[in-house]
Amino acid sequence: GIPMEIIVGKMFKLEIWETLLSSMRAGEVAEFWCDAIHTGMYALVSRGMRRIAEGRDPLEGQKHRCGMGNMFDYHSTGYDDLDELQRTPQPLIFIMELFRVEEPSAYKRDTWAMTKEEKLAAVPVLHSEGNRFVLRKEFGQAAAKYQEAVICLRNLQAKEKPWEDGWLKLESLVTPLVLNYCQCQLELGEYYEVLEHTTELLQKHNDNAKAYFKRAKAHAAVWNEREAREDFLRVAQLDPSMAAAVKKELKQLGERMRKKHVEDRKRYQGLF
C-alpha cells in the first residue's frame, strides 16, 4: 500500500534495481527486461514483499535474520511459484514507477542504513524525543523512540567484544533507555513485556534497583504476589533511599491481594 524505498549506494538485495532506478526521472514509468544473472535473489525479496502485502511480519517464524539462512532451514519460500523460480532462475521483466527522489539530507534513514557515527548521533536525539512524548503522556510514541535508540546501540554492540570497554560503554547507554521503555510499557499495561525486558536486563546487571522495582510492579499487576514481594524487598536492600516507595507498594499489593481473595471466595461460593 505504500511505495518501496531504496537508498542508492546500499545495494539492496537486488542490485539491478538500483541501476534501473538511477536511469529514470521522477514520474516516469519504465519496463526493463533483466537476464537471469541479475534476478537470482528475486524469490527471497518477493517473499518478504508478499508477506508485507498480506499484513504479516516478513520475519515471522524465522530462525535467522538472513533470507538465505532460512532457505537452508526450510527449503521453501512458502510460495510455489517462487520455489520454482529458485530452482530454475530465469529472466524477468520489471515495471517500475519512480515517484520521488530525495536528497540524503532530507531522508530519515532506518537504523540498518546508518553508519556508526550516525547511530551514535541519533541516540541522544531519540532519547530526548522519547522524553518529550512522556511529558505529554504519549507513552506509545515514547516507547517507540526509546526502542529505536536501543536498536541503534545494540547494533553497535554486536561489533564489540562482550564485557570489554567499548561494549560496556554502549551498555551504560542502553540500560537507562530500556528502563524508560519499561516504564512506558507499565503505563500502557503491557506487563509481560516489562517482565521480559527487566529480567533480561537483570541477567546482566543483578544490582539494578530500578529494574527490580519495575519488574516488581509488573509482577504485582499480573498477580504474581510472591515474585513481586521478593523483587520489592530486593529493591529496598539495594537502595535504602527507595525504602519508602517499596513500603507503599507492598501495602498496596497486600490490599489488592486481600480484595482479590475476597472476590474469589464470593465467586466460588456462587458456583456451589
Side-chain angles (χ1 to χ4, degrees):
I2 59 172
M4 180 178 178
E5 297 173 345
I6 288 182
I7 301 173
V8 175
K10 290 294 180 181
M11 292 298 180
F12 178 72
K13 295 175 182 177
L14 270 174
E15 296 181 13
I16 191 63
W17 282 0
E18 188 172 304
T19 304
L20 304 182
L21 287 167
S22 298
S23 72
M24 297 174 64
R25 294 175 181 237
E28 180 183 354
V29 179
E31 180 175 299
F32 300 94
W33 185 94
C34 295
D35 191 72
I37 193 172
H38 298 299
T39 63
M41 292 294 290
Y42 177 74
L44 293 177
V45 175
S46 181
R47 172 185 180 274
M49 290 182 168
R50 291 184 188 189
R51 285 190 163 208
I52 291 169
E54 293 164 2
R56 300 162 64 193
D57 181 349
L59 301 180
E60 177 188 326
Q62 292 191 175
K63 295 181 181 177
H64 305 276
R65 304 293 287 189
C66 164
M68 288 302 293
N70 283 288
M71 281 298 297
F72 281 116
D73 263 345
Y74 305 117
H75 310 292
S76 173
T77 62
Y79 301 93
D80 292 340
D81 58 327
L82 296 181
D83 288 345
E84 179 59 31
L85 192 59
Q86 283 284 103
R87 286 190 289 270
T88 56
Q90 55 187 290
L92 295 174
I93 294 173
F94 297 114
I95 301 172
M96 295 183 164
E97 180 177 1
L98 183 59
F99 289 99
R100 186 172 69 251
V101 179
E102 295 182 351
E103 295 296 324
S105 59
Y107 181 74
K108 184 183 181 299
R109 298 189 182 193
D110 290 331
T111 301
W112 65 267
M114 293 180 180
T115 64
K116 177 181 179 180
E117 291 72 22
E118 287 170 335
K119 288 174 184 173
L120 286 172
V123 168
V125 175
L126 291 166
H127 198 158
S128 296
E129 290 175 349
N131 292 346
R132 281 197 292 273
F133 279 122
V134 167
L135 290 174
R136 297 203 293 264
K137 298 189 182 302
E138 297 175 11
F139 298 110
Q141 292 91 325
K145 293 296 181 181
Y146 295 137
Q147 187 178 44
E148 189 176 349
V150 169
I151 290 170
C152 284
L153 294 169
R154 291 296 191 208
N155 286 343
L156 294 173
Q157 261 191 324
K159 299 175 182 177
E160 301 285 344
K161 190 171 181 179
W163 302 105
E164 292 198 349
D165 289 345
W167 189 93
L168 289 170
K169 185 177 180 181
L170 293 168
E171 184 69 12
S172 69
L173 299 175
V174 167
T175 300
L177 287 164
V178 172
L179 290 173
N180 287 358
Y181 173 81
C182 288
Q183 183 60 42
C184 291
Q185 296 301 331
L186 280 174
E187 298 287 351
L188 293 167
E190 299 290 344
Y191 304 118
Y192 290 103
E193 183 84 357
V194 176
L195 292 175
E196 178 185 347
H197 288 281
T198 51
T199 298
E200 183 181 347
L201 187 63
L202 288 166
Q203 286 171 351
K204 298 177 187 174
H205 312 286
N206 63 4
D207 59 348
N208 192 304
K210 290 182 178 179
Y212 278 111
F213 190 78
K214 295 184 194 305
R215 190 172 74 171
K217 286 177 73 71
H219 274 308
V222 297
W223 308 105
N224 297 337
E225 182 181 12
R226 180 180 59 80
E227 292 87 345
R229 289 187 180 279
E230 287 177 356
D231 278 352
F232 278 132
L233 292 173
R234 180 70 170 145
V235 172
Q237 181 184 18
L238 288 169
D239 188 351
S241 69
M242 297 181 72
V246 167
K247 185 177 179 180
K248 180 181 176 181
E249 292 289 342
L250 286 171
K251 182 180 178 181
Q252 290 178 349
L253 175 62
E255 291 171 353
R256 287 182 70 240
M257 295 306 301
R258 280 192 293 274
K259 184 177 178 181
K260 183 177 185 294
H261 293 324
V262 170
E263 291 174 351
D264 287 346
R265 279 199 299 272
K266 288 180 180 178
R267 189 179 300 115
Y268 295 136
Q269 285 171 358
L271 288 175
F272 300 102

